[in-house]
Amino acid sequence: MVSSEGLSAPLPPPQAATRQYGVTKPISTAGPTEADIQRTLELEKFLVDAGLYESKEDADKREEVLQRIGQIVKDWVKQLTRLRGYTDQMVEDANALIFTFGSYRLGVHGPGADIDTLCVGPSYVNREEDFFFILHNILAEMEEVTELQPVPDAHVPVMKFKFDGISIDLLYASISLLVVPEDLDISDVSLLYDVDEPTVRSLNGCRVADQILKLVPNIEHFCTTLRCLKFWAKRRGVYSNVTGFLGGVNWALLVARVCQLYPNAVPSMLLSRFFRVYTQWRWPNPVMLCAIEEDELGFSVWDPRKNPRDRTHHMPIITPAYPCMNSSYNVSQSTLRVMVEQFRYGNKICEEVELNKARWCALFEPYLFFESYKNYLQVDIVAADVDDLRAWKGWVESRLRQLTLMIERDTLGMLQCHPYPHEYVDTNKQCAHSAFFMGLQRKQGEKTQGQQFDIRGTVDEFRHSINMYLFWKPGMEIYVSHVRRRQLPPYVFPDGCKRPRPSRIMAQQQADKLPYDDGEVSVTGSGERHLKRKKDLDGVDVNQVMPLEKRQSLSPQPRDSVSPVIISDKASSASPEHSDKGFSMEVVESNKRTLLGETEPEYASNSSTITNVTSKGSCDDAGFGSVAVSSEGNTRSVEGSSVGSNNPGYLQGDVCEADSESLSDNGCGNGNLRQDGSQEALEPNAAFGMLLNSNEGVNSEQKAVISRLSLTSTA
């Protein structure tokens, strides 16, 4: 751990590595220069000043809390052993152990971070009743325990709570032993014998963390680099496994692989090489720390040749412990695109730091999400009280990724969706409230005119799946609405008000100096997205109710654009002849409840906002053709068969053009899987996408507010 009292220069590691880490030879075994060591000192000082290290008092409190939880689960198991009629000796020997994993186990947690914990118990103590009922009730009666939230139906069943103010995520694994020994080796594969899949997933958190620490050349350098990357990812809005980005274990695996490729590098070098490597990585080539092993226990391991679903993964990051799995299956085409853009941003800043043209603080500048798009989807979640909201929000947030996948599916990837993992709260509302936002834009490089994206049925399908929540209570509602940047609520901005925008003349002068990719977007030195500005439509009332047939064009039509129409689910009500330049709203409602404009919603059951956005020509305010959001139409299940491509790129792992040194001789046999450094392996042979089959014909019976926003724009 780095202390604020003093920072000492790290000693350069030995130049001759006696052990090969990973499945390929390293890219470079060079050690640090004096400049690298100095930059590492500056980087560590930045981390300390940013408050990323907890105090000794906080660390001691965490240890105390873990010890108390360990005693609670021991007493719980002894109580169950006695109730089930076992002998006095069995009661005396009855035991349960607490293991940690995640950021706490890896040593990269910060102040206020939760502790990922695993309770390992004997075979006769089960998860369904004993853990989620009896232990839950024991914890609920304790004064130190607050915000207790069981999530038994999660992919990895978990019980969340705060113990004396410390956030705890507690998993449970029942192993095939009558007595759990104090010296249990959690990495022993025999623990997986005769256990179910949720137990395997619960055990693997600890097993993966232990394997990572065994597979990196220098644990201290790994931890410092990982701490940097976690902080960077949170600042840039790409830290969230549940939203479709990467979580803690994903970032740890990516950093660990870079540590293997540069075994003698110090943190400043590793941070720079991280962005260099993953900017040029040829996804979906997998990132692997070790060879994928199959065992006689028969659990399925990640293998796109055998498992069709594995071929649909966009960013495979494989866990090193048996059974090896893809830890990043949540990543979609849209979220991968966002992360690659951020990797490029990070690489550019690191290059400037190495040339002494920038400081480390520039790398960690927050991403200005609400200045990066002109159109957003706003998802409002409300409940009667804070406790209901906690459970309801957890359910909705865990399924927001499905909305991104549905939009990709129904628009054939032409409408790009950027889910933002930050939560926002409107404190002026009387009920408990939470909101999430998604940026929307047309696929970059596609110049079309009058293109339409009808996602009304998509949103309705999403809402239908959300409303199947088994623990729904009155007051739990969700609202999906389209908002333009000028309509964003004040509470999404740090100071409660929108940032001042430059004058039109100044903005045009800045725009003239910027290089644009197909006239839409570019990343400048600050790394932020700049949309090509046109003349604003001053004087147009976005809340004006206007019949569709009365809309008039406010600007000439573009000269050089094509106008294919892409409509998913059902055709938009805005016909091409009425898709004029301008912004207007037509409201057809069964009641007056809506979240648009300044109207205060009367959170009615099963209501949603339906929007229709249309644009012509190149990207301006919308950044895409036309979007329609509705709560009426067909509802369909996203659970279906997955179809992928037999792309050999999936069988070529760990290849990049990170340095000028060739990797062509670094191929390494890996069973039938192979990691090949040749240049030819870098190019996937086909584009990959996730295809989800759906069942048509399930009509929604829910009434809703229908408001159509029609927007057309020209260059």
Side-chain angles (χ1 to χ4, degrees), residues 16 21 227 333 451 471 492 548:
Y21 293 87
R227 194 181 291 272
Q333 289 177 318
Q451 186 175 12
F471 304 99
V492 304
L548 203 62

Side-chain angles (χ1 to χ4, degrees), residues 68-77 79-80 96 98 119 125-142 145 148 150 159 161 170-172:
R68 294 171 68 184
I69 295 176
Q71 189 59 50
I72 290 171
V73 298
K74 290 179 187 294
D75 295 341
W76 163 61
V77 169
Q79 174 187 338
L80 290 173
I98 290 292
C119 174
V125 177
N126 63 54
R127 181 189 302 106
E128 291 74 17
E129 297 178 3
D130 299 332
F131 181 73
F132 279 113
F133 184 73
I134 298 178
L135 181 59
H136 173 273
N137 291 342
I138 292 174
L139 293 173
E141 294 174 358
M142 301 186 67
V145 176
L148 182 60
M159 194 141 56
F161 57 92
L170 180 62
L171 314 182
Y172 180 71

Side-chain angles (χ1 to χ4, degrees), residues 62-63 65-66 100-101 104 113-117 166-170:
R62 287 178 183 269
E63 289 292 335
V65 165
L66 287 174
T100 61
F101 61 101
Y104 187 81
D114 60 359
I115 306 178
D116 295 313
T117 56
I166 303 294
S167 296
I168 303 291
D169 284 358
L170 180 62

Side-chain angles (χ1 to χ4, degrees), residues 390-408:
R390 186 181 303 113
W392 179 231
K393 180 185 67 177
W395 167 262
V396 174
E397 187 178 6
S398 70
R399 277 144 185 83
L400 283 177
R401 183 180 69 93
Q402 296 298 330
L403 179 57
T404 304
L405 294 177
M406 292 174 185
I407 292 175
E408 289 178 353

Side-chain angles (χ1 to χ4, degrees), residues 630-663:
S630 172
S631 67
E632 62 181 8
N634 294 333
T635 57
R636 301 174 301 234
S637 170
V638 254
E639 297 298 333
S641 61
S642 300
V643 182
S645 169
N646 291 315
N647 187 334
Y650 275 121
L651 307 181
Q652 309 288 346
D654 238 356
V655 263
C656 60
E657 299 174 302
D659 274 358
S660 58
E661 302 180 30
S662 172
L663 300 180

Side-chain angles (χ1 to χ4, degrees), residues 478-489:
I478 178 175
Y479 304 85
V480 180
S481 57
H482 163 264
V483 292
R484 297 185 64 191
R485 185 165 65 191
R486 68 185 69 170
Q487 296 172 302
L488 287 168

Side-chain angles (χ1 to χ4, degrees), residues 29 74 174-175 191 217 224 236 267 281 323 327 377 417 419 433-434 471 494 525 616 642 669 671 687 711:
T29 58
K74 290 179 187 294
S174 174
I175 60 176
L191 291 180
T224 301
R236 304 302 296 178
W281 198 273
S327 63
L377 277 185
C417 184
H433 169 265
S434 179
F471 304 99
K616 283 186 177 180
S642 300
L711 167 68

Side-chain angles (χ1 to χ4, degrees), residues 525-592:
S526 65
E528 302 303 343
R529 181 186 308 274
H530 291 266
L531 300 179
K532 186 176 181 180
R533 303 279 317 259
K534 300 178 301 189
K535 295 182 179 180
D536 292 335
L537 305 178
D538 297 333
V540 178
D541 184 2
V542 298
N543 292 318
Q544 178 182 2
V545 178
M546 184 184 303
L548 203 62
E549 59 271 11
K550 292 187 179 181
R551 297 176 188 165
Q552 297 181 358
S553 176
L554 300 182
S555 66
Q557 298 293 332
R559 298 178 181 176
D560 52 351
S561 58
V562 242
S563 58
V565 176
I566 297 180
I567 298 180
S568 163
D569 195 61
K570 60 183 180 178
S572 171
S573 59
S575 59
E577 60 267 24
H578 292 131
S579 298
D580 304 318
K581 175 83 174 183
F583 191 88
S584 63
M585 181 194 298
E586 177 188 9
V587 180
V588 182
E589 57 182 2
S590 58
N591 55 46
K592 296 295 184 181

